[in-house]
Amino acid sequence: MTTFQLPNLSINPKIRLAYIINNKQYTFSFQWLENFCLLSIYIIKDNKKLYLIKGRALTANTDLIARVKDPSLIKGTLTIKNKYAADVEITQNNLHTDFEMEYYDEQ
């Protein structure tokens, strides 16, 4: 398992970050709207953006990449989990303090 910190969207509601997963760089675009966060994930391959997900509402405890059909893009599971195992909603103020992203490689 690999754990990633999430951005502070209360300072900047639209952030683009790069995370390295299995030696590949993925760009994560987080955008906080009024009551939820939209997430897009893409990789650059052959000078083209290939989206794993685009404009998906961010939810905890669901596999964000479950619908990716091309195993050359990514394998495994990627979830947002509450660090304290609490059953609370993701908010603009608690995403970076109470949640983290976990990647499990498919072996």
Side-chain angles (χ1 to χ4, degrees):
M1 174 183 72
T2 306
T3 303
F4 301 94
Q5 289 188 314
L6 294 166
N8 184 345
L9 297 178
S10 60
I11 293 175
N12 183 353
K14 188 173 183 179
I15 295 177
R16 192 171 283 144
L17 297 171
Y19 293 107
I20 304 295
I21 301 173
N22 288 340
N23 299 317
K24 293 181 183 178
Q25 180 174 305
Y26 296 87
T27 300
F28 286 66
S29 176
F30 298 86
Q31 182 176 4
W32 190 265
L33 300 174
E34 289 189 28
N35 297 315
F36 62 95
C37 180
L38 286 182
L39 175 65
S40 296
I41 304 171
Y42 63 88
I43 188 169
I44 303 294
K45 190 172 182 182
D46 300 325
N47 292 322
K48 295 181 183 176
K49 284 184 186 179
L50 298 177
Y51 281 91
L52 283 65
I53 61 173
K54 189 173 185 179
R56 177 184 172 165
L58 190 63
T59 55
N61 304 317
T62 58
D63 184 3
L64 300 171
I65 57 173
R67 293 187 177 196
V68 176
K69 301 297 182 206
D70 185 348
S72 71
L73 295 178
I74 197 166
K75 298 180 200 174
T77 60
L78 184 69
T79 57
I80 304 293
K81 301 259 180 146
N82 185 284
K83 294 178 189 178
Y84 312 108
D87 187 22
V88 296
E89 294 289 323
I90 294 172
T91 68
Q92 188 174 9
N93 295 320
N94 75 3
L95 177 65
H96 71 288
T97 57
D98 294 357
F99 292 88
E100 62 191 4
M101 188 167 52
E102 295 178 351
Y103 173 73
Y104 292 90
D105 192 6
E106 186 178 89
Q107 298 287 335

